Amino acid sequence: MPFGQVVIGPPGSGKTTYCRGMQAFLNALGRKTIVVNLDPANENTPYSSAVNIEDLITLQDAMDAYELGPNGGMVYCIEYLEKNLEWLIAKLQPYADDEYYFIIDCPGQVELYTHNESVRTIVRHLEKLNYRLACVHLVDASYCTEAAKFISVLLLSLTTMTMLEMPHVNVLSKIDLLPQLGELDFSLDYYTAVMDLDYLLFHLNERESSARFGELNKVICGLIEDFSLVGFSTLCITDKHSVANLLKEVDKANGYIFGALTAGNEDILLSANTTN
């Protein structure tokens, strides 16, 4: 029963760095791990991908063949992958048979998770083949510094969760850089737990440009609270304790902690506390 993570997030959220760091961390724990690159715009990745969408189609080929821009080309590549899903399954199968753990690096184009159904279809097919996957949605922690930006991130996260319909872990990445951006309006716990948004709404409506949309802002905040789905973990990819804590959340989300009693599972915290 193969387990893994589907890693998504807007450009600049640190997806590629996360995939490299998490792979190294898991391998150090003794969990055999590979990275699957499904981002056709990912050139010169810092990790070695065992499966790479560029072996099937490249972004440049799609753009040249159909006179598409980068966004249209990206959508075409993912839809092409959906139509040729047997290629992906055949590439993954040897590693699934050998009980590897999968980190699937996906494109940063958010439309693929909010409007387009190809990624959801691909995930559904893998789940039918008994892959146990959780979505790790990375967003830059700097969005906490402005009310409008944070509410947009909440709305993006909620839309992605309801669209993909899979176990989900939202993550505020680059948390170590947050102190450099100034003091937050509230404690970090407020942002991770997504507490009463009325307080955030007050700060949002203090801005002249946002106050014009006061009623709309109120409705959006109410929508997010009505679903009551969004919360965040935090991550500093260079801090092994932070990575270990996030891994525990992901392992609970995809069921690894319950269904894969192998080395590198129960010893996560012990390994994180070692000096090497």
Side-chain angles (χ1 to χ4, degrees):
M1 181 184 297
F3 293 84
Q5 309 176 19
V6 177
V7 183
I8 68 173
S13 59
K15 289 189 296 87
T16 299
T17 302
Y18 171 84
C19 290
R20 179 185 62 179
M22 183 59 76
Q23 181 188 33
F25 187 80
L26 288 170
N27 284 331
L29 290 177
R31 194 186 300 187
K32 296 186 299 184
T33 305
I34 63 165
V35 177
V36 178
N37 178 37
L38 296 187
D39 185 354
N42 238 355
E43 298 179 354
N44 303 317
T45 56
Y47 55 75
S48 177
S49 53
V51 180
N52 194 333
I53 190 175
E54 290 193 336
D55 295 334
L56 175 68
I57 186 172
T58 67
L59 178 60
Q60 193 61 51
D61 286 346
M63 292 169 60
D64 292 344
Y66 299 101
E67 299 182 353
L68 298 169
N71 287 345
M74 182 71 73
V75 172
Y76 180 86
C77 288
I78 297 302
E79 290 181 345
Y80 187 81
L81 176 63
E82 178 192 355
K83 299 297 183 184
N84 294 272
L85 198 52
E86 67 279 357
W87 174 87
L88 178 61
I89 293 171
K91 289 288 187 179
L92 296 178
Q93 194 59 51
Y95 299 100
D97 291 340
D98 204 19
E99 297 184 347
Y100 272 80
Y101 187 92
F102 295 90
I103 298 176
I104 304 176
D105 191 2
C106 294
Q109 191 172 349
V110 298
E111 296 95 319
L112 293 170
Y113 318 107
T114 59
H115 296 80
N116 189 285
E117 295 188 357
S118 292
V119 173
R120 181 171 68 177
T121 301
I122 292 169
V123 169
R124 287 291 175 276
H125 277 282
L126 293 177
E127 288 176 339
K128 288 179 181 178
L129 294 173
N130 234 12
Y131 285 77
R132 296 293 183 258
L133 303 172
C135 179
V136 177
H137 184 194
L138 300 173
V139 293
D140 195 319
S142 64
Y143 289 120
C144 296
T145 59
E146 292 187 30
K149 289 181 178 180
F150 187 66
I151 289 176
S152 69
V153 163
L154 290 174
L155 198 56
L156 171 63
S157 300
L158 177 60
T159 305
T160 302
M161 293 174 76
T162 55
M163 183 69 174
L164 293 182
E165 297 180 321
M166 62 184 299
H168 217 91
V169 180
N170 295 304
V171 183
L172 294 175
S173 63
K174 305 179 185 178
I175 199 70
D176 53 311
L177 302 180
L178 201 52
Q180 303 175 19
L181 303 176
E183 188 175 350
L184 298 177
D185 292 327
F186 307 100
S187 69
L188 184 59
D189 288 342
Y190 175 87
Y191 296 94
T192 56
V194 188
M195 299 178 185
D196 189 347
L197 293 183
D198 284 344
Y199 296 105
L200 199 65
L201 187 62
F202 172 78
H203 284 271
L204 180 63
N205 290 336
E206 278 189 323
R207 296 178 52 189
E208 184 177 345
S209 58
S210 299
R212 294 185 301 151
F213 306 103
E215 287 302 314
L216 177 61
N217 295 336
K218 183 177 180 180
V219 170
I220 290 174
C221 289
L223 175 69
I224 295 168
E225 290 187 322
D226 286 346
F227 273 90
S228 192
L229 290 175
V230 184
F232 293 95
S233 298
T234 59
L235 174 67
C236 170
I237 194 61
T238 58
D239 183 343
K240 60 186 177 182
H241 298 285
S242 178
V243 177
N245 288 334
L246 178 58
L247 182 58
K248 287 197 298 179
E249 296 299 317
V250 177
D251 281 350
K252 285 188 285 186
N254 64 17
Y256 184 91
I257 198 169
F258 307 110
L261 299 178
T262 61
N265 181 19
E266 65 278 1
D267 295 332
I268 289 175
L269 293 181
L270 179 62
S271 298
N273 286 324
T274 60
T275 56
N276 297 319

